[in-house]
Amino acid sequence: MAQDVQQLIARAQAQYVRCIDDGDLAEWPDFFTPACVYKITTADNYRRGLPGAMIYAASRGMLVDRVASLRDANIYERHSYRHVLGQPFVLSDDGNEARSETSFMVARIMRDGSTDLFATGRYCDVYVRHADAVDEVKLRERIVVCDSSRIDTLLALPL
Amino acid sequence: MNIIPIKPARRASIAWPAEGLTRVPYALFQDEDVYADEQQAIFRGPNWSYLCLEAELPNPGDFRSTFVGDAPVVVTRDADGELYAFENRCAHRGAMVCLEDQGNAKDFSCVYHAWTYNLQGDLVGVAFKDGINGKGGMKPDFCLGDHGLRKLRVASLHGLVFGSFSDDVPPLDEYLGDAIVERIARVLEGRTPVVLGRFTQMLPNNWKLYFENVKDSYHASILHLFFTTFQLNRLSQRGGIIVDEGGGHHVSYSAVDHSATAKQQKPANDYAEQKIRSESEHHLEDTSVLAGIDEFDDGVTLQILSVFPGFVLQQIQNAIAVRQILPRGARQTELNWTYLGFDDDTPELREMRLRQANLVGPAGYVSMEDGCVGGFVQRGIDAASDANSVLEMGGDSAESSASRVTEASIRGFWKAYRNAMGY
């Protein structure tokens, strides 16, 4: 990938959080390649190499299912997120795929207006250049590593 | 000298409704005095609380921090290979002597004044005990042996480690009873568990609301649509509940009844008739989340087992986990999930467990609702401390039953609770 890989990633991530916070969640799986990994775990598990996750999708289909279940099956009080991301730090870039880490903070806004810091952490990502569009990158892997081991009440919407 | 044990008076006065186990006063989920009484009568009383897994302490010197009710507790394995547990509170001025979640140590030294304890919790050293240059120091009659950490009784069963502050608690297998021991053995006997992950969920409700939820076989296929839709846990499946004699422990289980499902699609109609959401057109893009094997050769796809006052062993297909329920004040509960595999898992089975783990935990397809529904009750009853809940599904007894359309195991919990609290 070219030297603007950091810019490409930053733009993709800005779209990603806009989709979750303000857009249509049904489009969220489109940020991933068809064969992908998405996980939400904790820094403690990640450090210890424990593979268990709160959410684990091993394909884009599983992300689609997650959205469908949140929409049609699961019960939770209406809420939304506000993601604030740091700059992506590019760890490696072989021209084909790039590894990066990006810190995040997420506030959760509940139905009654109460707003709390819900999660902080980092995305550990593998981005690949989109086959058809050279100026677009997709996630082949996103491990969401939450700093805290605690989740308040439940984790419904993705991070 | 005769010592007459003094039972401290209860702080709260609760008059149980005349109906008995079919009514539960909402005040029990709100009252700070009730909470304080529970700490004494239940969590520091003659009951066994789950501490950790033996597999988490494989080597001499290994330790883990946990809680029994409000009390911080450390569990250790000493050089003799035995497990010990003690309150994480220095006998001197009360500071915690262990500040790590887990690790390996030769001893525990309080950071405040360097009082040092061995792995069994005995005091072995006091800084400047004899003063300096003959001046200062502890009183001459100070005896190290009188100032150990408060110890717990420890017992383990099929790799699960339990502890109790009480000397009056019956032996663990007797406390659990044969039926519960047998169902724990079904999942864990002769196996070495491997921790796959640990997650903590903070629930905005009293601990008893979560424990009621665990024991509530009536809600499972109503609140959790994911199960219902994918035929994982319909009440019309073969199954039942076991409630132990004391009422506090339970098992709810169900198995796929292949003969019944092959014959007809009747279950879906049952739900439609009750106007319960059950959208059978719901389908998965990737069904690998549900792929599993009959690990126990008995067709049982779900076994939820609870031990009074705060332990759950869960088998949902191949998603196996232990849950520790810790009260955190009258209106908050800490739920600690430990996801398990076993050391002889094939890579395929391990991957199945990890994918099925999507069903459980704070984001679980069939468990996230349990994270919020207790809060719905807690907020719903805010102005109803003089009212009661109604538990009449399946009658008024607290006995085992072949039907899971019953609240018998919840009534069982309240039977054990009343007994423990003297209500």
Side-chain angles (χ1 to χ4, degrees), chain A residues 52 56 59 65-66 77 151 153, chain B residues 196 285-286 351 358 363 379:
Chain A
Y56 169 37
S59 68
D65 293 336
R66 180 60 67 168
E77 226 168 350
I151 286 289
T153 309
Chain B
L196 301 182
E285 294 267 327
D286 185 337
E351 180 66 14
N358 281 296
R379 284 185 278 155

Side-chain angles (χ1 to χ4, degrees), chain B residues 316-353:
Chain B
I316 297 176
Q317 288 189 303
N318 309 107
I320 295 169
V322 296
R323 308 178 206 162
Q324 180 190 37
I325 304 166
L326 294 174
R328 285 284 174 266
R331 288 167 175 270
Q332 197 174 45
T333 301
E334 179 177 323
L335 178 61
N336 289 313
W337 298 81
T338 304
Y339 297 178
L340 300 180
F342 295 94
D343 65 346
D344 58 355
D345 285 351
T346 61
E348 293 76 18
L349 177 54
R350 181 63 58 85
E351 180 66 14
M352 284 180 201
R353 294 193 201 284

Side-chain angles (χ1 to χ4, degrees), chain A residues 45 48 50-52 54-56 58-59 61-62 65-66 69 72-75 77 149-151 153-155, chain B residues 102 195-202 225-226 282 284-286 334 351 355 358 362-363 365 368-369 371 379:
Chain A
N45 288 319
R48 294 179 198 284
L50 302 182
M54 288 184 276
I55 293 178
Y56 169 37
S59 68
M62 290 177 82
D65 293 336
R66 180 60 67 168
S69 183
D72 299 330
N74 293 121
I75 307 293
E77 226 168 350
S149 296
R150 287 186 174 189
I151 286 289
T153 309
L154 56 78
L155 173 67
Chain B
Q102 63 182 83
V195 173
L196 301 182
R198 297 186 185 89
F199 300 94
T200 296
Q201 203 174 351
M202 300 304 289
L225 177 60
F226 194 88
H282 202 74
L284 290 178
E285 294 267 327
D286 185 337
E334 179 177 323
E351 180 66 14
R355 292 190 187 198
N358 281 296
Y365 283 133
M368 75 168 77
E369 291 87 1
R379 284 185 278 155

Side-chain angles (χ1 to χ4, degrees), chain B residues 214-230:
Chain B
V214 165
K215 290 169 176 287
D216 182 354
S217 51
Y218 173 30
H219 88 285
S221 61
I222 301 171
L223 179 65
H224 307 305
L225 177 60
F226 194 88
F227 252 168
T228 314
T229 306
F230 300 105

